[in-house]
Amino acid sequence: MKQVLRVKIYQPDAHYRIPFSYQRRFTYPIPPYSTVKGLICNVMGIKSSEDERFKKLKQGLSLAIYGTYESLVKEYLWFRNLEKDSHISKFKSVKNRIIDNITQHPGEQMPVTVDVLHNVDLIVYVYHPELMEEIKEVFENPSDRLSTLHLGRAEDWIVIKEIDMINVIKDNVSQLSFFAWIPSPADIDDELIPDKENYKNFYSQVNGNLFRLPTYYEITDSNQRIFNQYIEVKLFEKGSFRKKDFYVDSELKIPLFFAKMRAD
């Protein structure tokens, strides 16, 4: 019987930013894979892509992510651009901060609306053929963590509610009361589905908006983070679907949709 790691997480507030949303910053209802992978690297104390444990993660990590939230609130903020060129463009001098005889903030600023989720409950399932026990241990005792444990923004700290190794069983289910990422047949972990053709049929029929979520990135010579690997998914927004056989959490009866994080 196969086992996977289940981590239950609570967040008072969270924002999982949808890329290319600026003046109104939209959020996913659950964190994308790259955000959860970043949390795992944080608790393991992995500082560099040259770390041997990171190389192992890239070759065997699979994730399944589920969640709910109580409410969504729009926060109104001022974002400031503190780049030197932006300041000069507005004030015509590095030292000047006065326009129309009024002292202003440095650089440009603009009002921004940020969507923030409140009272978020997440369930993250982790599978790795070699590192699951180590990942479980560092979640239980994150003594080597690189920063405060968070998901999304740095201020979106998390509470670890439960960490367990659980059994995976085969069952016939037709409902899911969580938001969930459902990977495409090309990105599902074949080891953790009973039948690939059955899954292809399920994926073609299940309702959900299509997304292309980033997983891995490279740092350019100019110190920019450029994502170069992606996973295609549907965002399932709770509800029922046509009954099929899945591998499920033996306790919670949640169908498990593991996406392969394995890098090319």
Side-chain angles (χ1 to χ4, degrees), residues 169-208:
I169 62 171
K170 185 177 177 181
D171 201 354
N172 200 257
V173 294
S174 60
Q175 192 159 350
L176 180 57
S177 55
F178 298 91
F179 290 95
W181 298 121
I182 300 182
S184 72
D187 295 303
I188 193 77
D189 190 330
D190 293 343
E191 296 179 30
L192 293 163
I193 54 172
D195 182 270
K196 189 63 174 280
E197 288 303 316
N198 179 70
Y199 184 79
K200 287 179 179 178
N201 292 333
F202 163 74
Y203 186 80
S204 67
Q205 296 166 2
V206 71
N207 292 325

Side-chain angles (χ1 to χ4, degrees), residues 87-98:
H87 182 88
I88 293 174
S89 173
K90 181 175 181 178
F91 294 98
K92 310 307 178 185
S93 167
V94 173
K95 296 182 179 180
N96 182 41
R97 284 179 52 196
I98 298 174

